[in-house]
Amino acid sequence: MTEPQAPTVIILAAGEGKRMKSAKPKVLHELCGRTMLGHVVAAAQELAPHRLAVVVGKGRELVAPHVERIAPEAAVVVQDPQNGTGQAARLALEALTDSGGEPAGTVLVLLGDGAMVTGDTLRRLIAEHEGAGNAVTDLTAVVPDPTGLGRVLREPDGTAHGRVIGIVEQKDCTPAQATIHEVNSGIFAFDPKVLRDALGRLTTDNAQGEELLTDVMAIAVGDGLPVGAVVAADHHEVLAANDRAQLADLRRLMNQRITRKWMVEGVTIIDPATTWIDVQATLEPDATLRPNTQLEGATHIASGADVGPNCTLKDTSVGADARVTNATTDGAEIGPEANVGPYTYLRPGTRLGRKSKAGGFVEMKKSTIGDGTKVPHLAYIGDATIGEGCNIGAGVITANYDGYDKFPTRIGDHAFVGTNSTLIAPAEIGDGAYVAAGSVLTLPVGPGELAVARGKQRNIAGYVARKRPGSKAAQAAARAVEAGAEDDRETNTTGGESGERGNAV
């Protein structure tokens, strides 16, 4: 049996998307970590296509570089001016033919804003198209509300799935046709020869004054060729977004798909409605996500890790059995059994070792924290390497920036840095060393040494009485001084009597 040929895929992404009211082309608006066009390209790439072409037009100075980043193998075809979907498909077919001969296999035409379609559905469309020997096969869906969408017309045959005989737009529907709930998605599978011939016969004799891809189906029907339709199992796959409200709807639907997938894979998601996961993120079974958690980019959550509530993790890895709560991280690596939060900010380049801690109101940047080391609260650690088993007190700062350059701080194993100390980089603290609270270090500290770097305390008596006479502070101080003097008098009197009695005895 001959193996089926890989398809040729054409993605139409030349539209302006005026209803988005945006300087950004519609297909570049994002949902769940990818642009709409990126989702379509990813679905197409699942098919391992023989050739891939993306038609660009409005905003091509932004769209074309994006295509080159996400699909360097794709041919970028310019449609200028834009004169309909049929013209766009014809230009793409001509470009592919000029660069590599006739298209191989089925030609699949997708829409650049059709972000919800899946690779599985496209595989099914191609399989049924080729299995039936169709000239054209339309991906359709039965939707609850077909208002504004093109209706699929079928020849009555006593079933709900008679032979497809055409597509009629909303404005052209008869009252009977308006009751049809099966709609056209704009996604088609074509026999390449039929497509090429029909595209050459398109006219602009229609209300839009454009060459329309849907007219290829009408031409095929008129030629007596077999035309079919495949109904999507989930009608949401044919939805597109024409404005920001519809984009938000798609984003919600996409996120429901993603969260359900991970729950089926063994991840506990306490509240899927408030948990947002990008398509690139990965999770292992027995991970737990708590409410108001967002996993962005290539974030990975290992088995047993517990993340949330109120966390935003971007391009971050969380090790097995780690705990992260009320934290924001970007490009961080959180080791197994580590503890992060609450109200913690881990910036790019931060690496936390096993059983380490980045506690409340701690910020870290481009730093490596050794196994078992604790930075419990109110600290800034930047450009630092800290060994294992250390304790970094509250209010500690690595002063890594002099206004021009960044400098490193190195702290050895099992060191202790006291509260409210400032380590002026480049700083070096040896293994087992101690730094007294309130120190400002400008010199290295050797292994096992105690560094005390703070000024001698001096108390100036009577300062408030002289500088703030009559103030509440002066009055309070005077009362305290008088009370202290009275205590001294009572102590002296009592102590004298006791001494005399003791001597007498």
Side-chain angles (χ1 to χ4, degrees), residues 431-449:
D431 292 350
Y434 273 59
V435 176
S439 292
V440 177
L441 294 191
T442 59
L443 298 173
V445 182
E449 292 182 348

Side-chain angles (χ1 to χ4, degrees), residues 12-70:
L12 308 183
E16 184 174 2
K18 291 182 179 179
R19 281 181 281 175
M20 282 290 182
K21 298 181 180 179
S22 175
K24 182 190 295 185
K26 180 171 77 168
V27 296
L28 297 188
H29 284 264
E30 295 187 359
L31 59 159
C32 301
R34 277 196 190 126
T35 63
M36 287 196 279
L37 178 56
H39 284 287
V40 180
V41 167
Q45 288 172 329
E46 289 185 36
L47 308 176
H50 173 68
R51 302 292 301 282
L52 173 63
V54 180
V55 182
V56 300
K58 296 289 186 180
R60 60 182 175 273
E61 69 281 0
L62 299 175
V63 179
H66 180 64
V67 173
E68 291 168 4
R69 285 194 300 273
I70 64 175

Side-chain angles (χ1 to χ4, degrees), residues 125-198:
L125 172 63
I126 292 173
E128 296 197 22
H129 168 78
E130 295 178 351
N134 287 339
V136 184
T137 306
D138 184 13
L139 178 65
T140 70
V142 177
V143 299
D145 181 7
T147 303
L149 301 174
R151 309 308 203 276
V152 176
L153 304 181
R154 292 180 181 265
E155 189 176 69
D157 69 347
T159 74
H161 300 291
R163 187 172 69 91
V164 174
I165 57 175
I167 297 169
V168 60
E169 297 301 322
Q170 167 83 32
K171 61 182 179 298
D172 299 321
C173 284
T174 65
Q177 291 169 343
T179 65
I180 296 172
H181 283 251
E182 185 181 8
V183 299
N184 169 44
S185 70
I187 296 173
F188 294 93
F190 295 101
D191 176 277
K193 293 181 179 179
V194 171
L195 177 61
R196 179 177 297 283
D197 174 69

Side-chain angles (χ1 to χ4, degrees), residues 79-92 199 202 211-212:
Q79 183 189 21
D80 186 18
Q82 285 80 51
N83 195 32
T85 53
Q87 182 205 41
R90 176 168 54 78
L91 292 172
L199 288 175
L202 293 180
E211 297 178 34
L212 301 178

Side-chain angles (χ1 to χ4, degrees), residues 293-330:
T293 291
Q294 300 179 66
L295 305 183
E296 299 179 354
T299 292
H300 177 75
I301 312 297
S303 178
D306 193 322
V307 178
N310 308 317
C311 288
T312 299
L313 278 56
K314 179 179 179 181
D315 297 325
T316 293
S317 66
V318 180
D321 300 313
R323 179 76 178 96
V324 184
T325 179
N326 294 278
T328 299
T329 72
D330 183 359

